[in-house]
Amino acid sequence: MDPIQAAILAIIQGLTEFLPISSSAHLILPAQMLGWEDQGLAFDVATHAGTLLAVMIYFREDISNLLRHWLVSLTGEHSESSRLAWYIILATIPAGLAGLLFNDIISTTLRSTTVIATTTLIFGLLLWYADATASERRTMADVTWQLALLIGLAQMLALIPGTSRSGATITAALLLGFNRLVAARFSFLLSIPITAAAVGYETLTLMKEPQPVDWFPLLLGAVLAFVSAYACIHLFLKAIGRMGMKPFVIYRLALAGVLFAFFV
């Protein structure tokens, strides 16, 4: 890959992976608009590994606490943290199964500009409704397996390009009565196992089809995706209480309008 192209796509990946605006759409669209070739599986693995590392480092204390209590729960001793860890595992299952079953359809048929424009609009409106009607009565302590599963089903829908994984899960959490910060934190924690599984699956696929590797664009992509994702998580969590989801709703509706007007 051209280093400039790699840098642009990596920064886009990092900035959009955790914002409710769809990273997959923003990676597909530049290629279609500018005539770039597909960045390839190796670059996908590198940038996803970068964003995964960013969210794991940012939430390292939460992860350590959840993992420790989850291991203890295997002996029969349960706590609020161990239950949350189990709920995150449960909520990951729908998207994991859907990804395995429908990966070919998603990666071919659903990667069109029309699909992206439609999902950008629909899920933008859903995010607006969820944010406008949010009661914010529930905190992380109120997560149950039923609520976690519903959020996990929303994450499954995010396999469709243009939907946004964080957008779908945050929307679902807000509709279920969680406050904005909890919705975002749960969404970010929920991203870890599914992203790790995706990186692992893509890595195994890549190893089965060995080909010459240009390491510089991959390393550049991983580093820039990590830096931009880490900064994005930090700024998003600091600002979400003040600004809510309105800026992202406006952005999604504007993007959908541009896509329908000029590219569909």
Side-chain angles (χ1 to χ4, degrees), residues 80 82-92 143-146 148-149 186 190:
E80 182 180 314
S82 70
R83 284 190 288 271
L84 181 59
W86 280 110
Y87 297 157
I88 290 173
I89 293 172
L90 174 65
T92 302
V143 178
T144 64
W145 72 265
Q146 296 96 332
L149 184 58
F186 189 81
L190 188 58

Side-chain angles (χ1 to χ4, degrees), residues 172-204:
L174 291 174
L175 289 173
L176 292 171
F178 290 95
N179 68 59
R180 293 184 180 96
L181 183 58
V182 169
R185 290 182 70 88
F186 189 81
S187 172
F188 291 158
L189 290 172
L190 188 58
S191 75
I192 295 172
I194 194 67
T195 305
V199 169
Y201 179 80
E202 290 171 349
T203 300
L204 290 175

Side-chain angles (χ1 to χ4, degrees), residues 68-82:
R68 184 173 65 255
H69 284 85
W70 179 77
L71 290 172
V72 171
S73 75
L74 298 178
T75 66
E77 183 179 338
H78 295 280
S79 63
E80 182 180 314
S81 293
S82 70

Side-chain angles (χ1 to χ4, degrees), residues 144-262:
T144 64
W145 72 265
Q146 296 96 332
L147 296 174
L149 184 58
L150 288 173
I151 297 173
L153 291 172
Q155 181 171 245
M156 179 181 66
L157 295 176
L159 293 169
I160 304 171
T163 301
S164 170
R165 192 209 61 80
S166 62
T169 52
I170 290 173
T171 296
L174 291 174
L175 289 173
L176 292 171
F178 290 95
N179 68 59
R180 293 184 180 96
L181 183 58
V182 169
R185 290 182 70 88
F186 189 81
S187 172
F188 291 158
L189 290 172
L190 188 58
S191 75
I192 295 172
I194 194 67
T195 305
V199 169
Y201 179 80
E202 290 171 349
T203 300
L204 290 175
T205 303
L206 195 62
M207 291 172 64
K208 293 178 182 177
E209 301 177 5
Q211 51 187 308
V213 176
D214 184 1
W215 288 104
F216 178 72
L218 300 185
L219 293 174
L220 178 65
V223 170
L224 290 178
F226 167 81
V227 173
S228 54
Y230 191 93
C232 181
I233 294 169
H234 179 70
L235 295 174
F236 181 69
L237 290 176
K238 285 179 69 68
I240 190 174
R242 298 193 309 272
M243 66 182 187
M245 297 296 160
K246 187 175 181 179
F248 306 106
V249 171
I250 294 172
Y251 177 83
R252 290 187 68 117
L253 297 184
L255 177 60
V258 170
L259 292 176
F260 277 119
F262 299 102

